[in-house]
Structure formats: structure tokens, C-alpha cells
Amino acid sequence: MFNNLHNRIICAMAAMAFCTLATAQFRINLGETSPIRKLSIAEMAINSLYVDSVDENKLVEDAIRGMLEKLDPHSSYSTPKEVQQFNEPLVGNFEGIGVQFNMLDDTLLVVQTINDGPSEKVGILAGDRIVTVNDTAIAGVEMSKEEIMRRLRGPKGSKVRVGVKRSGISDLVYFTITRDKIPLNTVDASYLIRPGIGYIRLSSFGMTTLKELTDCFTKLRQQGMHDLILDLQDNGGGFLQAAADVLNEFLERGDLLVYTEGRTVPRQEFRAQGNGSFRNGRVVVLVNEYSASAAEIVSGAIQDQDRGIVIGRRTYGKGLVQRPVDLPDGSMIRLTVAHYYTPSGRCIQKPYVKGDMKGYYNDLEKRYIHGEFTNADSIHFSDSLKYETLKKHRTVYGGGGIMPDFFVPLDTMRYTRYHRELSARSVIINANLRFAEKYRKQLLKLYGTEADPTDKHGNPIEGKGFKAYEAGYEVPQSLMDEIFSEGEKQGIKPKDDAEKQLTTIELNRQLKALIARDLWSMTEYFRVVNEANDAVKCALEQLK
């Protein structure tokens, strides 16, 4: 039995001896002393002889994970389900009903419907509570958010029946929704922040990013934009090609954007084609310690090519290129094959010790304790890490991440301990959701359904829209009191009146931004919070 099973394994592996990995090929060595042969015998012995039954699939998955964990922090294994979830935000769409929601008191509360999506078409409204899906209760029961999403999602063309509790209506209202492709946008916000200065915030780099960005350019130019603030704060990256496409919009023909190189992967360069739509006009890129990967490629190239300036704090330092290895069951290995380098030759990847995952992922905490987030003088680079920009020959530094041209310290005083605890326990967001549900109609009647309404001649309508809201709306004290009262019920109290006063200032701004988001979109949220964002203020100062 042992020999027969062993022979079957060897034959099966021999049939898979060649595997295509993008343009490269590799051959599996099945010689007598081959490590692969050794691994297959070990797996076969455990599966055939171990005292208890084992899950063979899990055994193989654990072996793969074990091998990858000893390599670098970003080589990884994903199950078929994880592959699908990973790809959705990058590909740019998924199939479902098209709502943005939050969980409030164990109930799904619709925050917004996706414009022209399936839910909007049948009449689902912001503020609706979805309590049943296909006659199964999802409210007031112990059901995870993931399970609720699974029930609402489904293949394009399939139907789902939802029961909705709507304010002012005693009985449930039922809707049959035909699922469809739902776009996932990577632009969080886009607006004219000052006369002539556009602001665009990118959350990631996906397949739809270039079109979204150029659409924003067109819209903002019509409003008089000639300079741009590109906000990549908290942008964790995405597709390399999307980053190259974005850079192509800003740089001249032949300009080097980024290059990759590895032990078995020859140098591959990405250069601008010279057909970008924003090759003139000043550019400021905002980054912080959570800007990573593709965000670092963009900020590094803008800096190295002297196309613009970078403002904020040193970026994360994720510069390893992963290549997907698709496995027969739909799972995937993402294997690091090369490094990213900026045009000046800087390696984006921060140093790491192979196998020390804990140390690698605690790096940001170490940087915080060291004072790097609050004091530029705490950051020191050796002369060996000095590089020069390609046109103006300014000094920039390698060694992991992108060091900005202008440092903006983290304001550790803005969010008090009291504020952070109220936020962590969801006291603030739940109070805001209840408030928006109760007063949405009243506020929309007062300010209008459009953030920037115009008359038939294209002129702004006075007293309506976001500008009227920004100038005239004040967060009611009753909402603040509700938050403080609920916090006290949960044992969250300020240490003194001074902490409560500081909390009140920032909480007021946060609530005004959240209410604006619930009335219109994420753009209006950022239109509020950006007026107090130190990096944005620094960018505006540089563009004066």
C-alpha cells in the first residue's frame, strides 16, 4: 500500500512538473535526493500512517504556509475564498445589491445606496433598516456581518427579497432586488479645495483608478483647477500597473516611473508615454506611515522626477513584488520575486529579518515610540542612503519607505484618550447613525439633495447644498450629550473638564463631517475634516 500510494504521488507530481508562472517556467526536480520527493513522502506517511485521521488539504495548506512564513513578510498563501475577497477591491466590482451599510443595534442600517445600483432602482433609501433576507431574520439575531453580506451578495441576475423597516411606516416594506455588478471606486473624494486647487483622495490602486482619476481631472478643470493635491494618506497600495498609469498622467515621455528587479527576474522598467492629461500644473502628494506599495511608487516617482513635492510622514516601506501562482483548486500563492525601486534607484522595502513576522509588523509601533511620528529630528539616515533627484539633484533618502520633502508631525493631542475610547466602543458612530436616520429628511429639505446645486444656467443656488451646510449648520448639543451619556453608561468618562473640552472640539468636527457624509457623500466628509488636517494645510501653504 505504501509503495503504491507513493508511486501514485510521484506520477501525479511528474504530470505537473512544468508550471507556467507569468512568462517564466520552472521544473520540479523529482530526483532521489529532491526536497520535493522528501516533502511528498512526509505528507503521504502522515496521511497514511498517523494514529488519528487528518485533513489532507489542511495538511498541505499548513506546509505551504510554513514554507512561506520563513521567507519574507509578504509572500503568502490564500484559500479560494480569500483569493476572491482579495481580488474584489482591485478588480473594481462585485455582485450584490449595492448598498453601503453599518450595523446599528444588531440591525443593518443603509447609510447610502450606490448610485444607479440595484437597490436604488427598486426604491431602497438611506436610513432603511434591512431586517429580513429571503424571509430569514437578520436583525436581532446572532449573525455575523460576514454572514449577512454573504446572504445579500450573489451572482448577477439572481434575485433577493428583503424586508425593510422604514421610519414612519409601521409594517415591513418588501423589495425584490435583482443583483448586479457593483462598482468599487478607489477615489474617496474629489473637489476644488481652494480656487484653482483641486483635491483628490485615492484609497487604493485598482483597475478602475485611471478612469476615475481622469474623470476627476475633467470635472475639476471645468471648475478652474490648475494645481492638485493628491492625497495618498492611508492608501495601502494595489496594482503596480495602476500606479504606473497614474504616474503617466503627470510625467513626460520617457521619464522612468519605477523599475523592478530580483534574483531570477531581470530588471523591468516602466516609463511614461507622454500622453498624460496633467503634465502641467503643480502637484503635491500627501502620505503618512500607512501609505504603502503602489502609493510609495507614485510618491517616490513624483519626488525623484522633481514633478512635485511630498508632504507628511515617512511611508510604510512595502517594496516587494509578489507574483501570483494559481493552484488547481482556486487557491493561490503570492510569492515575492523582486523589489521595487524608485527612478533614482531607492529600494522602497524597509529592512526585515526573515521569519520575524512579529518584529516586522511591530515596526510602526517602534517608530512611534522612537518619536519618528512627532519629531523630524528623531529620523537619521546614513550617508550611504543618500540619493539625488533626477532633474534638480535634491537629496532624498532610501532605506525603506519614502521620506517626504516636508515633515508634518502626528498631532497626538487632537484625539484625547476619552475620544478614542468613545470611538473604539462605537458610541460615536452609533449615535450618529441614529441621528441621521431621524433627521435626514429634515436636513435634506433644508439643504437640498445635491451637495453643489445649480440653477438651469449653472449658477450656484444660494442657501442650499454643502456650502450653506458648512457655513450655517451646528451640531446640536443634544447629540453631544447623548454620546457623553452613553459613554458614561459604558464606564467611559473624561479624567477632568479639560479633557472633555478638548474632546468636544474635535468631536463636533467629526460629527459635522459624518452628517455631511450621510446627506451627500464621502467627498463632503473630507471637505469638513480637511480644514483641520495639518498635511492638507501644509500643502495649501506650499501652493500659495
Side-chain angles (χ1 to χ4, degrees):
M1 175 184 174
F2 187 99
N3 287 333
N4 288 337
L5 182 57
H6 176 254
N7 290 336
R8 288 201 302 272
I9 293 172
I10 295 300
C11 289
M13 294 184 68
M16 299 172 60
F18 289 95
C19 178
T20 301
L21 182 60
T23 59
Q25 289 188 323
F26 59 88
R27 183 188 295 271
I28 298 175
N29 180 2
L30 295 175
E32 287 296 325
T33 59
S34 163
I36 296 296
R37 183 183 179 91
K38 181 178 178 180
L39 182 64
S40 67
I41 293 173
E43 188 279 332
M44 173 270 302
I46 295 170
N47 189 46
S48 302
L49 305 175
Y50 184 63
V51 62
D52 296 321
S53 61
V54 294
D55 183 335
E56 190 173 7
N57 288 327
K58 187 175 185 304
L59 203 63
V60 172
E61 287 184 357
D62 288 345
I64 295 172
R65 293 183 197 276
M67 287 188 286
L68 295 174
E69 284 171 2
K70 301 300 181 184
L71 299 179
D72 66 86
H74 297 293
S75 290
S76 62
Y77 169 81
S78 302
T79 65
K81 183 178 180 181
E82 290 168 343
V83 170
Q84 182 181 7
Q85 292 173 343
F86 174 81
N87 284 334
E88 278 175 356
L90 295 178
V91 171
N93 62 64
F94 64 91
E95 295 173 350
I97 67 169
V99 295
Q100 296 177 12
F101 68 90
N102 268 316
M103 298 305 296
L104 177 62
D105 302 327
D106 296 325
T107 304
L108 187 155
L109 178 67
V110 177
V111 176
Q112 285 182 333
T113 55
I114 303 298
N115 185 41
D116 202 31
S119 290
E120 183 187 69
K121 288 177 180 177
V122 300
I124 300 290
L125 302 174
D128 283 348
R129 296 172 182 248
I130 298 179
V131 296
T132 66
V133 177
N134 289 332
D135 299 324
T136 299
I138 63 169
V141 296
E142 292 186 3
M143 187 176 292
S144 68
K145 187 176 181 178
E146 291 72 21
E147 175 61 18
I148 291 173
M149 290 175 65
R150 186 189 69 79
R151 290 172 181 268
L152 291 174
R153 288 186 179 184
K156 177 181 178 179
S158 63
K159 297 182 184 297
V160 60
R161 186 172 185 262
V162 299
V164 168
K165 181 73 179 71
R166 180 168 290 174
S167 179
I169 300 177
S170 57
D171 296 329
L172 289 185
V173 182
Y174 291 94
F175 297 89
T176 298
I177 307 169
T178 302
R179 298 182 178 100
D180 204 345
K181 290 279 187 183
I182 309 301
L184 289 174
N185 295 327
T186 59
V187 171
D188 278 344
S190 169
Y191 67 101
L192 207 65
I193 191 168
R194 294 290 187 273
I197 303 175
Y199 169 91
I200 298 175
R201 182 181 175 95
L202 274 179
S203 62
S204 61
F205 289 84
M207 289 178 65
T208 62
T209 299
L210 179 61
K211 184 181 185 309
E212 291 178 59
L213 192 67
T214 52
D215 286 348
C216 291
F217 288 164
T218 301
K219 175 185 171 185
L220 293 175
R221 277 205 183 89
Q222 291 171 353
Q223 299 173 23
M225 177 188 73
H226 47 76
D227 297 325
L228 175 69
I229 298 173
L230 181 64
D231 191 347
L232 302 182
Q233 295 178 101
D234 303 319
N235 184 314
F239 286 143
L240 167 61
Q241 187 59 54
D245 289 342
V246 168
L247 282 170
N248 185 69
E249 293 300 298
F250 299 102
L251 295 170
E252 297 298 330
R253 182 176 178 82
D255 283 348
L256 182 61
L257 310 177
V258 63
Y259 68 91
T260 63
E261 196 168 16
R263 179 178 64 89
T264 62
V265 177
R267 174 166 168 152
Q268 181 183 10
E269 295 184 348
F270 293 78
R271 293 185 177 272
Q273 300 171 28
N275 59 354
S277 60
F278 204 97
R279 288 175 291 143
N280 299 306
R282 294 175 295 172
V283 180
V284 176
V285 182
L286 307 185
V287 297
N288 64 8
E289 57 276 6
Y290 296 108
S291 306
S293 189
E296 296 174 291
I297 290 171
V298 170
S299 53
I302 292 290
Q303 189 178 57
D304 281 2
Q305 295 287 1
D306 290 299
R307 178 62 184 86
I309 59 174
V310 179
I311 290 176
R313 294 182 291 279
R314 181 161 68 102
T315 59
Y316 186 84
K318 197 280 185 185
L320 297 176
V321 183
Q322 279 75 51
R323 181 172 287 171
V325 182
D326 295 317
L327 301 176
D329 63 348
S331 59
M332 176 193 291
I333 292 174
R334 290 173 51 79
L335 188 67
T336 297
V337 296
H339 286 90
Y340 291 120
Y341 295 89
T342 70
S344 67
R346 291 181 287 167
C347 180
I348 294 172
Q349 179 61 41
K350 61 187 176 184
Y352 61 89
V353 177
K354 288 186 177 181
D356 183 14
M357 296 294 184
K358 185 176 180 181
Y360 183 80
Y361 288 110
N362 285 342
D363 175 64
L364 290 184
E365 184 179 353
K366 292 176 185 175
R367 285 162 60 177
Y368 177 79
I369 294 171
H370 181 64
E372 181 181 320
F373 294 169
T374 55
N375 190 344
D377 293 338
S378 68
I379 308 169
H380 302 285
F381 296 100
S382 67
D383 288 343
S384 64
L385 297 175
K386 280 187 177 180
Y387 292 79
E388 284 189 350
T389 61
L390 302 182
K391 293 181 173 66
K392 297 181 179 179
H393 306 291
R394 298 181 298 119
T395 298
V396 289
Y397 290 93
I402 301 300
M403 188 66 191
D405 301 298
F406 293 89
F407 175 76
V408 177
L410 177 68
D411 187 351
T412 57
M413 299 297 292
R414 173 170 292 175
Y415 294 102
T416 64
R417 173 207 56 84
Y418 181 43
H419 193 155
R420 289 195 300 270
E421 288 193 18
L422 289 170
S423 181
R425 300 276 189 90
S426 299
V427 175
I428 297 171
I429 191 66
N430 286 340
N432 172 75
L433 289 170
R434 285 190 290 268
F435 180 85
E437 180 187 24
K438 186 175 182 180
Y439 293 105
R440 180 180 283 104
K441 287 183 180 179
Q442 180 180 327
L443 290 169
L444 286 175
K445 185 176 180 181
L446 183 62
Y447 294 109
T449 57
E450 295 181 44
D452 297 297
T454 57
D455 60 23
K456 62 182 180 180
H457 303 294
N459 300 313
I461 299 175
E462 294 296 325
K464 292 287 186 180
F466 174 79
K467 288 184 178 178
Y469 171 87
E470 183 182 35
Y473 184 74
E474 294 184 6
V475 175
Q477 185 61 43
S478 59
L479 177 55
M480 307 283 282
D481 292 341
E482 178 187 343
I483 290 171
F484 295 145
S485 176
E486 180 59 31
E488 190 168 350
K489 289 178 185 177
Q490 297 190 31
I492 308 170
K493 300 178 182 179
K495 65 180 180 180
D496 51 35
D497 288 341
E499 185 179 39
K500 187 172 183 178
Q501 273 189 323
L502 281 174
T503 301
T504 300
I505 294 169
E506 193 58 38
L507 180 58
N508 184 79
R509 183 182 295 111
Q510 181 184 5
L511 289 169
K512 187 166 183 175
L514 288 169
I515 293 168
R517 178 204 66 181
D518 291 337
L519 294 180
W520 296 294
S521 71
M522 283 298 292
T523 287
E524 283 61 54
Y525 172 88
F526 283 103
R527 288 171 79 169
V528 175
V529 300
N530 279 345
E531 294 305 309
N533 185 302
D534 291 333
V536 173
K537 289 192 286 187
C538 180
L540 291 171
E541 187 67 27
Q542 294 302 317
L543 288 171
K544 274 186 178 179

